[in-house]
Amino acid sequence: MEKYFSVDICGREELLPILPLPGDINIAFFNLHGNVELTDHCAKHLAERIKKYKPDVLITAESKGLQLTHCVAREMGHKFYAVVRKSKKLYMQDGIEVQAKTITTGDIQKLYLSAHDVELIKGKRVAIVDDVISTGAANAALEQIVAEAGGTVVCRAFVLAEGDAKDKEGVDYLATIPLM
């Protein structure tokens, strides 16, 4: 029998399946992929929180943050947002590369920002947008990319803060979930 964790995200109850990770850790798995209503709901509430920071541009890492950030950008009237990729594409030869080790991947992974998105960020106020913050490793990698691109992080916004991430300074989130 599958177990679930119930979380209230700004008045919307979601049942998240509890999944095991290596090292005897379980997570309440949050997945926006394909869920239009949930993504729109979260984007609307995140955009409201982000607006007070007056960012010029949003940035996210693929993949679950993509559709969320797209919807947040639309809510805020932004025409573009920057995307950090997990693989280096042909058009990304002159961009930025950093490394991160996140709780869900467990291994060191490389993250890439295209030269086009570097120009989008340079000299701008940037809001980091993603689905979940846990250890903060992915967020730190995004902050490093923004700094190397010449931008300034003014906001870190997530749908969910997992475990101790709720206590991190400078992090905005809509709800919390535990590490189990």
Side-chain angles (χ1 to χ4, degrees), residues 9-30:
I9 303 172
C10 299
R12 180 182 170 124
E13 182 187 6
E14 291 295 319
L15 294 176
L16 309 180
I18 297 173
L19 301 178
L21 292 179
D24 295 325
I25 296 173
N26 291 312
I27 61 167
F29 182 65
F30 181 64

Side-chain angles (χ1 to χ4, degrees), residues 48-68:
E48 284 302 314
R49 292 186 183 221
I50 294 170
K51 284 179 183 176
K52 66 184 174 192
Y53 297 100
K54 299 179 178 155
D56 301 309
V57 66
L58 310 175
I59 189 170
T60 195
E62 65 178 5
S63 73
K64 290 191 298 178
L66 284 175
Q67 66 269 21
L68 175 66

Side-chain angles (χ1 to χ4, degrees), residues 51-169:
K51 284 179 183 176
K52 66 184 174 192
Y53 297 100
K54 299 179 178 155
D56 301 309
V57 66
L58 310 175
I59 189 170
T60 195
E62 65 178 5
S63 73
K64 290 191 298 178
L66 284 175
Q67 66 269 21
L68 175 66
T69 305
H70 179 93
C71 293
V72 171
R74 184 179 58 225
E75 286 282 331
M76 296 181 68
H78 288 211
K79 292 183 179 183
F80 297 96
Y81 57 93
V83 178
V84 173
R85 304 288 307 258
K86 293 181 180 175
S87 60
K88 191 173 191 176
K89 306 299 179 193
L90 185 60
Y91 67 90
M92 303 178 85
Q93 300 309 309
D94 296 328
I96 294 173
E97 176 183 319
V98 300
Q99 292 185 355
K101 182 177 181 181
T102 66
I103 190 170
T104 51
T105 58
D107 291 325
I108 293 176
Q109 65 183 145
K110 291 183 179 180
L111 301 173
Y112 305 91
L113 185 70
S114 70
H116 172 270
D117 283 355
V118 168
E119 288 303 313
L120 186 63
I121 289 171
K122 189 183 297 180
K124 302 287 180 34
R125 297 170 52 83
V126 180
I128 294 172
V129 179
D130 212 345
D131 61 336
V132 179
I133 183 169
S134 186
T135 64
N139 180 68
L142 288 174
E143 289 195 35
Q144 181 182 347
I145 286 172
V146 170
E148 288 185 27
T152 303
V153 174
V154 296
C155 173
R156 297 150 194 88
F158 304 88
V159 176
L160 300 174
E162 183 174 56
D164 293 338
K166 69 182 181 311
D167 301 323
K168 290 186 184 296
E169 188 174 327

